[in-house]
Structures are given as structure tokens and as C-alpha cells.
Amino acid sequence: MRASLKNSKRIVVKVGTSTLMYPNGNVNLRTIEKLAMVLSDLCNEGKEVVLVSSGAIGVGCHKLQLSERPTTIPEQQAIAAVGQSELMHIYSKFFGEYGHTVGQVLLTRDVIDYPISRKNVINTFNMLIEKGIVPIVNENDTVAIEEIEHLTKFGDNDRLSAIVLEVIQADLLIMLSDIDGFYDSNPNEFPDSTMFTEINQITPELQALAGGKGSAFGTGGMFTKLAAAEKVLKNGGKMVLTNGNNPSVIFDIINGDAVGTLFATKQLVKGENRI
């Protein structure tokens, strides 16, 4: 199963705020530069790469020298506007140093749900990729809201990355997080935790482990990652969840190495029976 990842042509990479920012609130320029280098080299190899990036509010707080994240929605959206601009400036600088141009794609859920605008989004992605431009995707935090009559939020960028994979018909989603993979218990609390190397279907037992209702533990966002994996599996795609502290791990994943947790529908081999 891992060996088939080498054949992935169109790849979505999702990176979280914890990978882009230091715990003290400063921007992790070293990791962002490594990420730009890795993705640029994948493009040089002939891969088609789309980056789903969090971090707008975190970078905005850093830019405005705020020690705490504001609590009100208007403040958060204003800071996201500043942070998204700064984040794209950083990405543009680092990707440019490796000879690649980036393009910003900000999405809201209603755009994806409405057939005509969804088609336009697909056309935009395809044209950017055709022209060799790396799309950098984020939820449009400056306008996204969640109301009964007007639902525009995806909820989180984990789900957004799975939706992007579906929309552009990508082969693989690589989710870079602050944890090495999906565990049977919280590794921060239980040193003897065991990481799943491969998961073929999302079961209620796994959802409970991930922090759902009645869960044994919660790892802060692991439930949304499992929800994203479930969507990926339903669409016949593959997803790898791993730690993003060293973006070069992306090379290992595509090479078929046993890195992180692979989510993929089990393939039948010749002579095998499956219920």
C-alpha cells in the first residue's frame, strides 16, 4: 500500500498553525522555508502540489505584537486579514527563492456547495496548476460565519483539506500536525501508547479514541483529523497524518517509507478474500 504513494501525481499538503508558529507566538521561519523547499522540489519533479495552510490569526497576532488571541469574532477576523496578507508574503518570499510562484485561494463553504461557484473554483485550481503556480488555500476567515440560514464556515482546515482533495481530485493528502500519527491513547500522557501505521476504515471505536463523544482521551484536534480521513476514504483517496516539525518527511512519505499513519481503503491482492 505504501509503495503506491510513489505514483501520487496531485498532492494536497495541509499544515497547521502549530507547525508554522513557535509556542512563544513567533513565526517559525525555518520550518516554513523548509516546507517551501520541499514543495518546490516536488513541483520540479513533476508533481502537482496544493498547500492548505492555517496560521492567519497566529501570524496576525505576531504582526500586531499581541500577546493573547482576541476573543471576539470581529477582532479575530480583522487580525486574520492582517495575518493572511503577512503569511502570503512569507510564502511568496520563500517559494520565490526556489523559483516558484504562489497564488492565494481563500474559500468559504457556500462557494464549494453552490454548483456554479464550485465549478469556477475547480477551474481556478486547474489553471493555477497548469501554469505551474502553487495554490495556497485557507478558509476566508475575514468573512466566514456560521449561522442557521447562512453557513459559510468549513469548521477547520483539516476538513477543508479533505474537501480540497475531493474538489481537485487529488491522489494524496499529507496532513502535517504536532503529533507523529494516530495513537491508541494520548502519547503525551501515556508513554506506552501505540501508533497505528495503517487505518482502512473509520470505526466508532477510532472516533472514541480521537476525542469524540465518550472518548477515552482527546488530543486537541485529532477528532477533526479523523473526520477528514473519513471523507478522504469515502472519496477513494489516501491520507497520511504525521508530524510537521521537519517538512522533509514529505519526501519519505512519497517514497513509500513507513512514516506516520496511512489512511487508505484496503486493496485486495490476488487470491485474498475479504468480507
Side-chain angles (χ1 to χ4, degrees):
M1 182 69 73
R2 293 270 184 174
S4 67
L5 299 183
K6 295 180 181 180
N7 300 323
S8 301
K9 174 68 174 178
R10 184 168 288 189
I11 301 166
V12 177
V13 176
K14 186 267 176 181
V15 60
T17 302
S18 61
T19 300
L20 302 176
M21 308 290 296
Y22 288 111
N24 63 10
N26 291 327
V27 180
N28 190 335
L29 295 174
R30 179 167 50 187
T31 295
I32 297 176
E33 182 178 18
K34 285 184 179 179
L35 179 64
M37 181 276 290
V38 170
L39 299 187
S40 294
D41 201 51
L42 288 181
C43 292
N44 291 346
E45 187 182 337
K47 305 289 188 183
E48 298 172 347
V49 177
V50 175
L51 175 62
V52 177
S53 175
S54 301
I57 293 179
V59 172
C61 287
H62 171 74
K63 180 72 173 180
L64 297 174
Q65 299 181 336
L66 300 178
S67 59
E68 295 182 357
R69 174 175 171 149
T71 57
T72 70
I73 297 299
E75 284 179 300
Q76 290 179 8
Q77 291 181 319
I79 289 168
V82 173
Q84 187 64 34
S85 175
E86 180 71 7
L87 185 59
M88 285 303 300
H89 172 72
I90 295 170
Y91 277 130
S92 181
K93 179 182 187 317
F94 283 135
F95 274 91
E97 289 180 357
Y98 294 103
H100 288 272
T101 301
V102 299
Q104 177 176 255
V105 181
L106 296 178
L107 298 175
T108 51
R109 182 170 170 177
D110 55 338
V111 171
I112 296 297
D113 290 343
Y114 187 56
I116 294 178
S117 58
R118 180 187 178 98
K119 182 179 179 181
N120 288 336
V121 167
I122 294 172
N123 290 339
T124 299
F125 273 116
N126 287 334
M127 186 55 63
L128 287 169
I129 293 171
E130 180 181 324
K131 291 183 176 295
I133 299 168
V134 178
I136 298 183
V137 187
N138 196 0
E139 184 164 8
N140 194 345
D141 292 326
T142 61
V143 299
I145 58 174
E146 187 168 358
E147 297 177 353
I148 294 176
E149 298 296 332
H150 189 59
L151 184 63
T152 63
K153 283 184 68 65
F154 291 102
D156 57 80
N157 275 355
D158 293 335
R159 290 186 177 92
L160 174 58
S161 63
I163 291 170
V164 170
L165 178 119
E166 174 192 1
V167 167
I168 69 173
Q169 297 182 317
D171 306 305
L172 173 64
L173 168 59
I174 298 176
M175 191 170 291
L176 301 179
S177 182
D178 56 358
I179 193 168
D180 293 340
F182 189 83
Y183 286 81
D184 61 356
S185 60
N186 190 337
N188 296 320
E189 298 179 10
F190 305 100
D192 59 346
S193 298
T194 301
M195 187 180 76
F196 293 89
T197 57
E198 184 173 328
I199 293 175
N200 304 125
Q201 60 179 331
I202 308 303
T203 64
E205 292 77 15
L206 288 176
Q207 290 173 332
L209 288 176
K213 187 176 180 180
S215 65
F217 78 100
T219 56
M222 199 53 60
F223 187 75
T224 64
K225 289 170 176 55
L226 207 62
E230 184 173 30
K231 186 170 187 62
V232 169
L233 292 180
K234 285 182 178 178
N235 288 299
K238 299 181 179 70
M239 172 180 142
V240 175
L241 170 65
T242 194
N243 200 308
N245 59 1
N246 182 6
S248 294
V249 73
I250 294 173
F251 292 136
D252 299 328
I253 291 170
I254 296 176
N255 191 49
D257 296 346
V259 173
T261 301
L262 169 66
F263 295 86
T265 303
K266 187 175 180 180
Q267 301 292 320
L268 286 175
V269 298
K270 189 173 181 180
E272 178 185 12
N273 294 318
R274 196 178 88 191
I275 297 177

